[in-house]
Amino acid sequence: MTDFAGLNGAESFLLTNATVPVVLVEGTRLSADTYGLARVDIRVEGASIMEIAPAGTLDRAAPATVDLNAGMVLPTFVDCHTHLDKGHIWPRRANPDGTFQGALQAVSQDRVANWSAEDVRARMDFSLRCAYAYGTSLIRTHIDSLPPQDAISWPVLREVMSDWSDRISLHGASLFGIDRLDADDGFLETIADRVEAANGVLGAVTYMIPRLDEHLDAMMRAAESRGLDLDFHVDETSDPEAKTLVRIAQAALRNRFSGRILCGHCCSLACQDDAEADRTMDLVAKAGIAIVSLPMCNMYLQGRRNPGQAPGTPRWRGITLVHELKRRGVSVMVASDNTRDPFYAYGDLDMVEVFTSATRIAHLDHPASDWIRAVTATPADILRHPEQGRIRLGGGADFITFAGRNLFEIMARPSAPRTVFRNGKRIDTALPDYRELDALLGEAP
Ligand SMILES: [Zn+2]
């Protein structure tokens, strides 16, 4: 492993012989090799990247120099779809059968029984410590927002956002079944105000319900009038009759919605016939909707046998049509989704694991193309943090160094050590111990 001891907290230093994906470098012209990579020297001053130049061209007389010996440097990661409020409840509330319905019921029971401000805060903080240690700097979390939970979780989110503001930019998105709006009781205005006050985005789970179009229009008006973006959980099922994605695209065009719309999951798109899927994807592209796939969680929940049936082997991968969407110019990204809760029993908010899994599940590999943007620059742009997710001349010295010399070496050893720099300083990458949560969760594993 590269020895960083020589840096010794230096204010200014040079990293030499670093390998970078050219699509993630801004402010310097580099020529890419056949894998889209280039070898560079990077000079850091204070908290900023002050020079990026082809390897061997920067003045080596810097006070501190570390030769990365072709090891890769990536910008810190962006995780654009998580559920920090659900995270880590698995030890006290497992999924009885691994199904989506099982997950919904288990989380609902746990929320009603246990989600006090203290409980939500402690689990969020634990998750953020994991994400930070792995090298993530920007996160969107969905927040279960059915009353009375909205009044508990949103104030906690605002506190946590403030506590973490110097380490992770955190944003919330509301989450409730869109059928909740059938009640016509003013909930949409209440939750939109809450979201606006927390600088978040308005979100819901869409279902094929009679008043879907009406509710989508109402959400778009509520978002537009407050300057909010939208984020939907969409068609997370293998049922080809789940077709809310096209309805969201039509609503966006009908309302001339000017904000950004991110749609997550969209699994059923992959179960529809080509002609229908093509028509939907054309409209998604026309409406400028961005798509996030959650490959680990989808692979876990999709293709399960129904409750009561014997366990069987899943026949499909659960993911949406990421390649076909990207070919149409749609912004496509991948993210963590759930961690150690009934929707996904595993996960630790490690974007190397997410990217590695996504590559294997969705074949993001031959050619690897610019898919690394799906966990860096693309979600940074959609989350309106264009300063993040790239290695930028004059930008923040927030990056990760690896021993692996290309993405294939990194993905072959996704748990290999990495070094995370934030504001030009190495951070402690030790992970929090699960034992810290034992008292909160009420039992040992
Ligand atoms: Zn989700």
Side-chain angles (χ1 to χ4, degrees), residues 346-359:
Y346 316 107
D348 207 19
L349 298 181
D350 176 6
M351 292 307 286
V352 171
E353 187 198 10
V354 171
F355 183 67
T356 302
S357 302
T359 299

Side-chain angles (χ1 to χ4, degrees), residues 54-121:
T57 61
L58 289 190
D59 175 13
R60 303 294 171 104
T65 297
V66 170
D67 184 349
L68 293 181
N69 197 15
M72 280 201 84
V73 174
L74 295 178
T76 50
F77 294 113
V78 181
D79 204 345
C80 67
H81 182 129
T82 68
H83 293 266
L84 304 188
D85 58 346
K86 295 186 174 79
H88 300 283
I89 64 172
W90 183 266
R92 81 178 168 212
R93 196 75 61 165
N95 184 325
D97 52 22
T99 64
F100 191 89
Q101 280 309 320
L104 267 184
Q105 279 167 18
V107 165
S108 164
Q109 287 163 0
D110 195 69
R111 183 174 63 237
V112 170
N114 295 307
W115 290 22
S116 64
E118 296 68 35
D119 181 73
V120 173
R121 186 188 296 109

